[in-house]
Amino acid sequence: MKRSSILALLLIAVLALGFAGLASAQDAAPSGDLEIFSWWTGGGEAAGLEALIARFSEMYPDINVINAAVAGGSGVNARAVLTTRMLGGDPPDTFQVHAGEELNALWVAAGLMQPLNDIYEANGWMEQFPQGLLDLISDDAGNIYVVPVNIHRSNVMWYVPANLEAWGVTVPTSWDEFVNTTCPALQAADITPISIGENWTQVHLWESIALGTLGVEAYNGLWDGTTNWTSPEVVHTFEVLGQVYDCANDDMNALTWQDASQRVANGEAAFNIMGDWAAGYFLVDLALEPGTGFAWAPSPGTDGVFMMLSDTFGLPVGAPNPGAVEAWLSFLGSAEAQDLFNPVKGSLPANTTADISNPDLYNAYFQSAYEDWTTNEIVGSLAHGLVASPAFSNGFSNIIATFQSDRDANNAAVTAATLALQTLR
Amino acid sequence: MHNRRDRLIAVLMVLPSIVLLAIFVYGFIAITAQTSMTDSNAMQRLSRLPANFIGLQNYTDLFSGPLDTRFRVGIVNTVFFTAIFITVCLVLGMLLAVLLDQKIRGESVFRTIFLFPMALSFVVTGVVWKWLFNPNSGINYLPTVIGLPPAQFRWFISEDRILEFNWQDLPTILAVIALSAAAMFTLWFAVKRKSRPAIYGFVIVMILSFLIFSGATGSMNALPNPEQHGFNLALIAVVVAAGWQMCGYTMAMYLAGLRGVSEELREAARVDGASEFGVYRHVVFPLLAPITLSAIIILGHISLKIFDLVYVMGGGDNLRIDMPGLNMFFETFRGQNFGRGAAIAMVMLLLVAVVIVPYLVNSFRSEAKRS
């Protein structure tokens, strides 16, 4: 045989083997590495993610899951790493992102996410996830881009019922009542009326105040341009924030959100506004009983409104192992996965077929929150990326930080108006 | 012939590091400078769109735009912090060095103790001092050990501010400072009877006073609303933490310098009737001047670029101890506004250059003299 024909034969053999390999890879169960990128590194979040990964590895033993979580800064550091990796053309297989503008204004608008409608239809999720939530994670053409894992509520006010009784105050139903009645009464008794933590918890507080004083329609109008940022009503939200600062601990910049919540549990402070991840903190870390050890109400003026945020995962364009990602996402949206993750993390399941009525999984707080989630009006959170782009959020953090030192409500509103012009769509 | 080959080899040996420096230092500085003149952001980059050239817009925004108050707070903080931090480190370092120079017993033990904090990372220092400075549990409660009431200063979250000024007045303030410096030099030259420098100085004084009194400097700042800045007392906490970490280092430098002053010189001064203080004042300290300059350069560039310590102590968004480094990080990665972030980085580079370039010029000159 001539040497060239031997070479040709070899080449054909190699090609044939290669195709066979490809074909079998498509048929067989997904395998290889699956890199999951998130900022869940501590407490219930990390435990929930680990529980998910453990179950997923049982189902797909061939997939090697890499938990690429980046710690710190409520996701700021993780997003910095993620942006760098995406810009460098090295996307992780799947990454955590908040539903809403954080997803839409950047990743979807840049065309870097793949539609997941096939997965939704194959699993029958179109009927299992609430329509309002699906709207937040899809574009105008109806393409759905991510799978939500959980639902959190942002506008919750926490307190200890026995303490309130001892101090002779009731849960305020409006910010006027809080500032004019509740706060002086508590200050006279030498109790901190409300505990506040570092900068982002103050943005979180402002969104509750804005929702409570502006109402749903005007609050939503801030983000679609129908509410004027310099109107007296919006200036008033900053004025109220200033009055609430006057009712708060003066070491707020030294406290994390856990420190601030703990002041309520310790009886040093009466109220705290925080998302419902605080329920997990009260329950697990401080071992308090829901209803007696700690209790909750919608933040003042927001009864009947559910300010939500949601963590989701998607499939970026250019993910190294899309087959494994599809298996992961199909698992993530299932009722089984949501019931594994949410009771540990301390959040509501996004999938409506989850076993929410099971008291072994979801405690009294989540039973009541789920009731609200299905009946209340839904709005999106600013501090957690639902209603505004990252550029707006960053600028707004600076505005709140500046306001905290100069207390100039007019200036804050005017600056926010300029920022909104530059950064909101 | 031989000489030329030597030179060729020398060039070849240096070439790799020159190429690496050119690409990875100066090349990237050039890219940052270029980015700082665009509106580059994550959205554009990810969608593969080109950034728009906007000239010096980012810089004008930083210094006079209503959205960039945070940058101005950071710049003012940096200036105050750098000045106090360097002074504290120099004075304490010198004091410790002079004390150790008294031939005391166990000197090496003390030297090691004073140098130890330098081995820590700023992150560790930040966490430790954040705990110590916590106003409701830390060193504020030290007086209670002996029955006194706890101290009231709120350290890194103190809201007090002294030396307040309006940012709009900044050009005027800077002009007045320059004016007084120029006037002093003019006087000095006049007294020394050096007429030409004195005349130049007089012209500068006249121009500056004209600018100030005609209101030209007053209208130079385009910031629409008054904006108060000043020395935030919260910075004291950062100065203490950073000074605790770095004054051992200046001590080591000064100690080496003191050991370099020969005993004969001191003896000669004593023979001439100098007191022990006089020996230091007139013989030792002047000989330490080059060391002071090196220490200022090293401490200065540390404090101008400081990030980790304030990030840990302030949680990132405590504007009372904010620094441009933090602002650059947040603007770039949280706001995903790369152009603005690059502009902040360039301003920081210029600040560091202001400190380092005179030093480089000085050392080049003395090297040229020597050879």
Side-chain angles (χ1 to χ4, degrees):
Chain A
M1 223 184 254
K2 283 178 193 165
R3 186 179 278 180
S4 60
S5 56
I6 297 177
L7 268 178
L9 268 179
L10 268 175
L11 198 66
I12 291 168
V14 167
L15 279 178
L17 272 176
F19 277 120
L22 268 182
S24 68
Q26 268 166 6
D27 291 339
S31 61
D33 287 345
L34 172 69
E35 188 184 12
I36 301 171
F37 189 95
S38 75
W39 57 86
W40 286 335
T41 53
E45 310 179 329
L49 180 61
E50 273 155 27
L52 282 180
I53 291 174
R55 177 74 188 103
F56 182 70
S57 297
E58 274 174 37
M59 293 164 67
Y60 298 93
D62 293 340
I63 297 182
N64 172 35
V65 176
I66 302 167
N67 181 0
V70 176
S74 65
V76 176
N77 301 349
R79 281 190 286 268
V81 175
L82 179 65
T83 311
T84 318
R85 288 187 57 174
M86 295 293 273
L87 286 171
D90 172 34
D93 288 302
T94 181
F95 61 85
Q96 178 188 6
V97 59
H98 283 138
E101 281 299 283
E102 193 178 306
L103 167 72
N104 299 329
L106 189 63
W107 307 116
V108 172
L112 290 174
M113 303 301 287
Q114 298 187 25
L116 304 174
N117 295 43
D118 291 350
I119 297 182
Y120 272 78
E121 270 152 25
N123 291 295
W125 289 347
M126 291 296 196
E127 289 74 42
Q128 296 181 2
F129 284 91
Q131 191 57 44
L133 182 58
L134 290 181
D135 289 344
L136 276 172
I137 54 176
S138 36
D139 62 13
D140 296 338
N143 295 314
I144 309 175
Y145 288 100
V146 286
V147 174
V149 198
N150 61 1
I151 302 292
H152 272 300
R153 185 175 197 176
S154 151
N155 61 326
V156 191
M157 189 172 211
W158 306 93
Y159 58 92
V160 179
N163 285 352
L164 291 200
E165 214 165 292
W167 300 325
V169 293
T170 53
V171 179
T173 55
S174 74
W175 284 106
D176 266 352
E177 184 190 341
F178 175 80
V179 168
N180 297 322
T181 317
T182 318
C183 173
L186 286 165
Q187 276 176 333
D190 214 13
I191 302 295
T192 309
I194 185 166
S195 64
I196 306 180
E198 59 193 326
N199 178 276
W200 75 263
T201 71
Q202 298 165 25
V203 177
H204 185 107
L205 172 67
W206 179 85
E207 73 182 14
S208 268
I209 292 177
L211 181 63
T213 53
L214 293 171
V216 172
E217 201 177 322
Y219 174 82
N220 286 334
L222 289 172
W223 318 118
D224 61 20
T226 51
T227 302
N228 184 356
W229 276 90
T230 51
S231 63
E233 291 77 23
V234 179
V235 174
H236 182 63
T237 64
F238 288 101
E239 286 164 359
V240 173
L241 179 63
Q243 290 163 335
V244 174
Y245 278 150
D246 291 335
C247 295
N249 49 309
D250 57 2
D251 57 353
M252 54 186 95
N253 285 317
L255 303 189
T256 62
W257 70 265
Q258 289 98 329
D259 297 334
S261 297
Q262 193 172 17
R263 294 242 167 131
V264 172
N266 289 354
E268 292 168 59
F271 299 101
N272 174 233
I273 305 261
M274 190 31 64
D276 56 11
W277 43 93
Y281 179 69
F282 286 128
L283 272 164
V284 180
D285 298 27
L286 304 180
L288 298 172
E289 278 297 312
T292 51
F294 73 99
W296 57 89
S299 62
T302 64
D303 200 16
V305 189
F306 190 105
M307 183 161 350
M308 60 92 60
L309 57 131
S310 172
D311 291 303
T312 69
F313 284 83
L315 173 57
V317 172
N321 193 355
V325 179
E326 277 165 25
W328 165 251
L329 293 179
S330 297
F331 166 67
L332 207 59
S334 67
E336 182 197 0
Q338 306 237 326
D339 283 340
L340 262 178
F341 178 78
N342 288 303
V344 186
K345 151 112 168 130
S347 48
L348 294 172
N351 187 327
T352 51
T353 58
D355 194 9
I356 188 73
S357 53
N358 183 348
D360 293 338
L361 290 177
Y362 297 98
N363 61 57
Y365 169 74
F366 290 106
Q367 307 278 351
S368 99
Y370 196 76
E371 172 80 28
D372 289 344
W373 163 242
T374 47
T375 56
N376 279 0
E377 208 165 346
I378 307 293
V379 298
S381 150
L382 161 70
H384 306 282
L386 252 93
V387 290
S389 65
F392 182 88
S393 304
N394 178 56
F396 199 77
S397 297
N398 293 347
I399 290 174
I400 291 291
T402 310
F403 176 73
Q404 201 218 347
S405 41
D406 71 8
R407 301 287 177 89
D408 186 340
N410 268 312
N411 188 31
V414 170
T415 318
T418 322
L419 180 67
L421 265 180
Q422 286 184 10
T423 56
L424 291 181
R425 291 192 292 171
Chain B
M1 181 62 209
H2 192 71
N3 196 5
R4 195 186 292 170
R5 220 186 72 186
D6 270 2
R7 200 168 277 178
L8 187 70
I9 289 174
V11 168
L12 280 179
M13 295 303 245
V14 182
L15 200 63
S17 56
I18 289 184
V19 170
L20 288 179
L21 272 180
I23 297 173
F24 291 104
V25 177
Y26 296 99
F28 284 152
I29 290 179
I31 292 175
T32 309
Q34 188 203 6
T35 309
S36 75
M37 288 187 229
T38 65
D39 63 351
S40 172
N41 58 49
M43 181 61 217
Q44 278 173 348
R45 289 285 182 91
L46 289 169
S47 4
R48 315 256 171 244
L49 292 171
N52 305 309
F53 180 80
I54 54 170
L56 295 177
Q57 185 61 45
N58 282 326
Y59 294 93
T60 32
D61 279 353
L62 286 179
F63 284 97
S64 59
L67 287 183
D68 287 285
T69 311
R70 178 166 185 172
F71 170 78
R72 298 186 282 273
V73 171
I75 285 289
V76 174
N77 280 349
T78 300
V79 170
F80 281 113
F81 172 71
T82 304
I84 302 175
F85 167 67
I86 290 181
T87 317
V88 165
C89 281
L90 289 184
V91 170
L92 277 183
M94 172 74 89
L95 191 73
L96 290 175
V98 168
L99 289 179
L100 281 188
D101 195 35
Q102 306 304 312
K103 315 266 179 315
I104 53 165
R105 196 182 293 170
E107 183 208 307
S108 64
V109 175
F110 284 112
R111 209 172 47 208
T112 317
I113 288 177
F114 293 143
L115 262 178
F116 256 144
M118 220 187 85
L120 294 177
S121 130
F122 262 134
V123 174
V124 179
T125 314
V127 172
V128 169
W129 282 97
K130 183 178 182 173
W131 288 340
L132 287 176
F133 280 144
N134 189 318
N136 298 316
S137 59
I139 52 176
N140 273 3
Y141 277 70
L142 218 49
T144 56
V145 175
I146 51 167
L148 292 171
Q152 290 301 315
F153 186 56
R154 312 204 58 79
W155 298 107
F156 62 98
I157 53 165
S158 163
E159 302 191 8
D160 297 329
R161 195 155 60 187
I162 56 172
L163 301 175
E164 284 210 352
F165 65 92
N166 180 353
W167 182 264
Q168 289 168 313
D169 300 335
L170 191 68
T172 314
I173 295 171
L174 290 178
V176 169
I177 293 174
L179 176 72
S180 10
M184 262 162 57
F185 275 110
T186 309
L187 264 178
W188 191 67
F189 284 127
V191 170
K192 293 258 174 178
R193 295 179 182 279
K194 288 184 177 170
S195 54
R196 196 176 285 175
I199 293 172
Y200 287 150
F202 185 70
V203 173
I204 293 174
V205 169
M206 291 313 289
I207 295 176
L208 282 173
S209 5
F210 174 75
L211 284 178
I212 294 169
F213 288 111
S214 67
T217 52
S219 58
M220 261 161 85
N221 199 319
L223 188 67
N225 295 310
E227 193 178 277
Q228 292 298 313
H229 291 276
F231 172 51
N232 296 311
L233 293 188
L235 282 174
I236 293 173
V238 188
V239 169
V240 172
W244 173 80
Q245 175 147 22
M246 295 309 296
C247 75
Y249 177 68
T250 41
M251 176 214 69
M253 287 178 80
Y254 276 129
L255 199 57
L258 289 172
R259 294 289 144 84
V261 178
S262 68
E263 198 55 33
E264 287 85 35
L265 269 178
R266 299 187 193 207
E267 281 304 324
R270 289 193 191 108
V271 169
D272 284 345
S275 66
E276 197 55 29
F277 177 76
V279 171
Y280 277 104
R281 166 76 185 77
H282 294 291
V283 177
V284 178
F285 288 163
L287 286 170
L288 292 181
I291 291 176
T292 309
L293 188 64
S294 313
I296 289 180
I297 304 300
I298 289 162
L299 296 173
H301 89 91
I302 288 177
S303 80
L304 288 171
K305 294 189 302 193
I306 197 159
F307 176 93
D308 29 18
L309 181 68
V310 270
Y311 185 76
V312 172
M313 275 182 101
D317 284 302
N318 182 351
L319 284 204
R320 283 163 203 89
I321 56 173
D322 196 46
M323 299 285 168
L326 288 180
N327 194 9
M328 180 187 76
F329 175 72
F330 283 130
E331 197 63 50
T332 313
F333 291 111
R334 191 168 67 181
Q336 301 180 326
N337 198 341
F338 302 147
R340 193 63 60 84
I344 301 174
M346 289 309 290
V347 174
M348 288 172 67
L349 178 73
L350 287 180
L351 281 177
V352 175
V354 164
V355 174
I356 287 190
V357 166
Y359 171 73
L360 291 181
V361 169
N362 191 30
S363 58
F364 277 141
R365 235 184 238 161
S366 50
E367 254 170 50
K369 251 182 227 163
R370 229 175 287 147
S371 58

